[in-house]
Amino acid sequence: MSAAPEGESRRWKALGVCLLVGFMSLLDVSIVNVALPSIEQGLAAGPAELSWVLSGYALTFGLTLIPAGVVGDMWGRRTAFLVGLASFTLASAGCGLAPTALALVLFRLVQGVASGLIGPQISGLIQEMFTGPERGRAFGWFGTTVGLATAVGPLAGGLLIHAAGPAEGWRWVFFVNVPIGVLAFLLALRLIPGRAGCGSTRGGLGRRIDGVGVLLLGTGLLAVLLPLIQEQQWPGAAKWWLIPLGLALLTAFARWELRTARSGGVPLVDPELFRSGTYVRGALLGLLYFAGFSTVFFIFTLYLQSGLGYSALTAGLAVTPFAVGSAVSAAVGGRLVTGRGRALIVFGLLLVIGGTALAAFAVHLVPGPDAGWATAGPLLLAGLGSGLVIAPNQVLALAEVPLARAGTAGGVLQTAQRLGTAVGVACVGAAFFAHLASTRSWAGAFQVGTLVAVAFEVAALAVALADLRRRRAAGAA
């Protein structure tokens, strides 16, 4: 499969297009954070509307991932990728032109759906176009993309708002996607192989999507994610009743999928995926890791901007060391994972835990305006570790997955990451705001929130160590 007729050079160019689009869609998860004051000023948006500008995108993104993976596996990953890219580009233009806050929220919901459609196709295309060590290198670049998009978002948003001004700068946070999207679409038409994924699963092009499965999975994830995403906006404890309801719906979904598979039907998510312990542990590790590392930026930018008065641009510059470290190590991690396996991820997690803890200690030592400088070294260390976690974990988790299920499997992995981010923001944010309310200390709130994030990272390390022990016992490490 790796000996594609387009040639080796074309495959790597196609990967470049995929990563450009992946970067653009993932960037929109974090870039809007620093644009909220500009949106508030430009559209007279209230707290609820600002919340949905952020959470609406994350919600529809997370809900779309698994069905999108199935669509790519059934009807062709190239087709699904192009539809998602066109939709994302048009929705970005709609966001930039939005005349009201409500219109902006609606376009963000569409943007999230389009981004969710794109995500699984990228991992599926990598599985399709590369094998062996080359696949590890390709996923290494994908890991670089994820790490950069997560960390560079605040800096990119800050630069755009600084250049265009606070009143209208937020519009360029969305407009910048339009020329990139158009260029990427034209390149994708030329470079991405047309056969990718098309008709490769049972039923091929004639296969129907499991409607009951989509309904159960969608409502279950919605019930779990909504109270987590809206934790700060929905007061009271009643919202937490949605989580057991969501878990019950997800249990019903799992039983339905088993029943569908046993009766000879085609389930939305093939239960065979979860017979691989490596895949299950990889998904769990991703959930726990994203609950820890991604939420550090959430509270760090709050601390810098609201607590220390940093501008959007300066706050973005403060997290750049993490992005640099992640970019450097992710490509290296993709090359090394084939030989080093899960031990590489364990080492990366140790670096992340150490860097995150040192960042909290740095703020304890330097709680004032120089905190951004004090945390630069620890964030660089954490970034170096992160690059050795995300891409290698993806490579190992998907190693035993059949190519025909690559899109679906990638969608499940990314859904676990989005769910982890939502859980982390809820837990870390609750600790952060509770400490802030009782002490009025922004530095102390950051340290408390960071400790919760470290707890998630340690849990991810425990999963990695368990998988490493199993692999060594089986002679696979």
Side-chain angles (χ1 to χ4, degrees):
M1 187 65 68
S2 64
E6 296 81 7
E8 182 176 351
S9 175
R10 185 162 183 166
R11 285 188 291 117
W12 287 102
K13 289 177 182 177
L15 174 66
V17 175
C18 291
L19 297 186
L20 174 63
V21 175
F23 179 83
M24 181 175 65
S25 63
L26 288 170
L27 190 71
D28 265 51
V29 178
S30 59
I31 194 174
V32 179
N33 281 297
V34 296
L36 291 180
S38 179
I39 293 171
E40 183 178 21
Q41 178 180 342
L43 292 179
E49 292 160 324
L50 291 174
S51 170
W52 273 96
V53 168
L54 286 177
S55 60
Y57 180 88
L59 186 64
T60 53
F61 186 6
L63 291 175
T64 307
L65 285 165
I66 294 176
V70 175
V71 167
D73 287 341
M74 289 191 323
W75 298 330
R77 293 172 194 128
R78 179 180 186 267
T79 300
F81 181 87
L82 290 171
V83 170
L85 174 55
S87 302
F88 184 87
T89 304
L90 291 172
S92 295
C95 288
L97 294 169
T100 65
L102 177 60
L104 177 59
V105 169
L106 293 176
F107 280 116
R108 281 287 281 174
L109 294 175
V110 176
Q111 203 183 29
V113 171
S115 187
L117 182 58
I118 292 168
Q121 315 318 324
I122 295 175
S123 59
L125 285 166
I126 291 174
Q127 292 278 94
E128 178 91 15
M129 295 188 294
F130 300 95
T131 58
E134 280 194 336
R135 183 179 290 175
R137 288 174 58 198
F139 271 117
W141 287 113
F142 181 59
T144 299
T145 302
V146 173
L148 281 175
T150 302
V152 169
L155 174 60
L159 285 169
L160 289 168
I161 292 169
H162 179 76
E168 297 296 319
W170 67 269
R171 295 188 184 274
W172 290 96
V173 167
F174 302 108
F175 281 146
V176 72
N177 292 332
V178 177
I180 297 173
V182 171
L183 175 63
F185 188 88
L186 295 174
L187 291 173
L189 280 175
R190 179 173 177 268
L191 295 172
I192 293 180
R195 74 190 184 286
C198 188
S200 60
T201 57
R202 282 182 291 167
L205 293 171
R207 174 185 161 188
R208 293 182 179 180
I209 292 180
D210 175 13
V212 175
V214 169
L215 181 63
L216 289 172
L217 177 65
T219 53
L221 286 174
L222 182 65
V224 171
L225 286 170
L226 262 181
L228 295 171
I229 291 173
Q230 293 294 105
E231 195 272 332
Q232 294 297 318
Q233 286 71 38
W234 289 356
K239 60 178 176 285
W240 299 117
W241 286 105
L242 284 172
I243 291 182
L245 172 62
L247 294 176
L249 288 168
L250 292 176
T251 301
F253 165 73
R255 291 179 175 176
W256 172 262
E257 297 298 277
L258 284 169
R259 176 185 171 187
T260 301
R262 288 169 179 167
S263 64
V266 183
L268 182 68
V269 178
D270 193 339
E272 290 294 321
L273 280 176
F274 299 97
R275 295 187 184 278
S276 167
T278 297
Y279 180 77
V280 172
R281 287 187 290 275
L284 179 58
L285 190 152
L287 186 153
L288 293 169
Y289 181 66
F290 273 76
F293 107 96
S294 63
T295 52
V296 171
F297 302 107
F298 167 62
I299 59 173
F300 191 49
T301 53
L302 277 175
Y303 167 52
L304 294 178
Q305 288 187 266
S306 301
L308 299 180
Y310 279 36
S311 68
L313 176 58
T314 310
L317 287 170
V319 299
T320 302
F322 183 96
V324 172
S326 180
V328 170
S329 65
V332 176
R335 295 173 186 271
L336 295 178
V337 65
T338 304
R340 304 294 174 85
R342 192 63 76 180
L344 181 69
I345 297 173
V346 169
F347 178 66
L349 283 166
L350 289 172
L351 292 181
V352 173
I353 292 168
T356 307
L358 285 173
F361 185 63
V363 168
H364 174 73
L365 294 177
V366 187
D370 291 332
W373 288 105
T375 54
L379 289 179
L380 176 63
L381 180 65
L384 290 170
S386 185
L388 302 179
V389 175
I390 298 175
N393 182 60
Q394 189 112 347
V395 172
L396 294 180
L398 294 174
E400 299 175 2
V401 173
L403 183 59
R405 287 294 186 184
T408 307
V412 172
L413 285 181
Q414 291 189 51
T415 300
Q417 293 170 3
R418 300 283 79 76
L419 181 59
T421 299
V423 170
V425 167
C427 295
V428 173
F432 178 89
F433 288 112
H435 192 277
L436 182 63
S438 62
T439 66
R440 310 308 302 171
S441 169
W442 286 92
F446 173 72
Q447 292 170 60
V448 169
T450 301
L451 289 177
V452 179
V454 168
F456 281 116
E457 293 166 1
V458 170
L461 175 62
V463 174
L465 287 170
D467 192 54
L468 179 62
R469 284 195 296 269
R470 288 176 179 270
R471 283 171 169 269
R472 286 181 171 170

